[in-house]
Amino acid sequence: MSKMEILVAGNPVLKKVAKPVAKIDKRIKNIIKNMTDTLYGESNGIGLAAPQIGISERLVVIDLGDEDGLRIMINPVIVSKEGSVQMCEGCLSVPDFEGDVERFATVECQYITPEGKKEIVNAEGLLAVCIQHELDHLDGILFIDRATSIMPKAKEVE
Ligand code: NI
């Protein structure tokens, strides 16, 4: 178990452009493991980018809780995009707020798997939005930088 602390907005690492992964070695696999443990340690997380645990490298993990399971993306790049969609987004690094963000409705994303294989996903709906949100983290952008409206998250009633 290696759940890491999630950095919150205001931390300079979240504003940095992350560097590409040069080699998938033991260190990178360990970072991926820590990212996965951290994502699954949060009840409401569907994606996490390495800068959120203080590592400025181009790594993303996504699990929407559907049949696709865990998706590990190394050096992901959006190679085509189309349409537009607006969704209310949240972020583990912005725990107290949510907001409406306009994104591309569909994206084609190319990335490398931990096995070193090149993969392409054609995403729409929540996956497309999640990919764009997580890739933004790799470029130092948070959803609050793009949101057309931001509101405090509704507190859960006990
Ligand atoms: Ni986020």
Side-chain angles (χ1 to χ4, degrees), residues 47-49 52 89-94 133-134 137 141-143:
L48 189 79
Q52 291 182 275
E89 296 185 21
C91 178
L92 295 171
S93 294
V94 190
H133 177 117
E134 300 310 332
H137 276 298
I141 300 165
L142 298 174
F143 83 89

Side-chain angles (χ1 to χ4, degrees), residues 2-3 8 13 21 23 27 32 44 53 79 82 94 103 116 121 128-129 136 140 143:
S2 27
K3 187 173 181 289
V8 295
V13 178
V21 173
K23 191 174 161 225
R27 188 183 68 87
I32 291 168
N44 55 350
I53 58 164
V79 290
E82 224 171 86
V94 190
R103 303 278 189 188
V121 57
V129 169
D136 265 356
F143 83 89

Side-chain angles (χ1 to χ4, degrees), residues 138-151:
L138 305 181
D139 290 326
I141 300 165
L142 298 174
F143 83 89
I144 45 176
D145 300 324
R146 293 194 187 275
T148 52
S149 67
I150 300 172
M151 50 238 135

Side-chain angles (χ1 to χ4, degrees), residues 50-154:
Q52 291 182 275
I53 58 164
I55 293 158
S56 196
E57 296 189 53
R58 305 189 81 82
L59 286 164
V60 164
V61 294
I62 290 174
D63 190 338
L64 302 183
D66 61 11
E67 67 276 6
D68 285 348
L70 178 66
R71 204 183 280 276
I72 298 164
M73 300 173 138
I74 300 168
N75 297 339
V77 180
I78 290 171
V79 290
S80 71
K81 50 204 180 190
E82 224 171 86
S84 81
V85 68
Q86 189 178 284
M87 253 189 223
C88 183
E89 296 185 21
C91 178
L92 295 171
S93 294
V94 190
D96 299 330
F97 295 91
E98 55 191 16
D100 293 317
V101 184
E102 196 167 310
R103 303 278 189 188
F104 294 104
T106 62
V107 295
E108 191 179 1
C109 180
Q110 189 176 293
Y111 60 97
I112 309 293
T113 69
E115 292 74 37
K117 213 175 124 230
K118 192 183 270 184
E119 196 84 58
I120 286 186
V121 57
N122 286 292
E124 56 176 18
L126 183 59
L127 180 59
V129 169
C130 188
I131 286 173
Q132 291 169 84
H133 177 117
E134 300 310 332
L135 267 63
D136 265 356
H137 276 298
L138 305 181
D139 290 326
I141 300 165
L142 298 174
F143 83 89
I144 45 176
D145 300 324
R146 293 194 187 275
T148 52
S149 67
I150 300 172
M151 50 238 135
K153 246 187 202 166

Side-chain angles (χ1 to χ4, degrees), residues 1 3-8 34-48 52-53 63 91-95 153:
M1 184 66 188
K3 187 173 181 289
M4 310 295 280
E5 188 194 332
I6 296 175
L7 304 184
V8 295
N34 290 346
M35 288 172 68
T36 307
D37 287 347
T38 305
L39 177 65
Y40 288 148
E42 297 292 327
S43 53
N44 55 350
I46 56 171
L48 189 79
Q52 291 182 275
I53 58 164
D63 190 338
C91 178
L92 295 171
S93 294
V94 190
K153 246 187 202 166

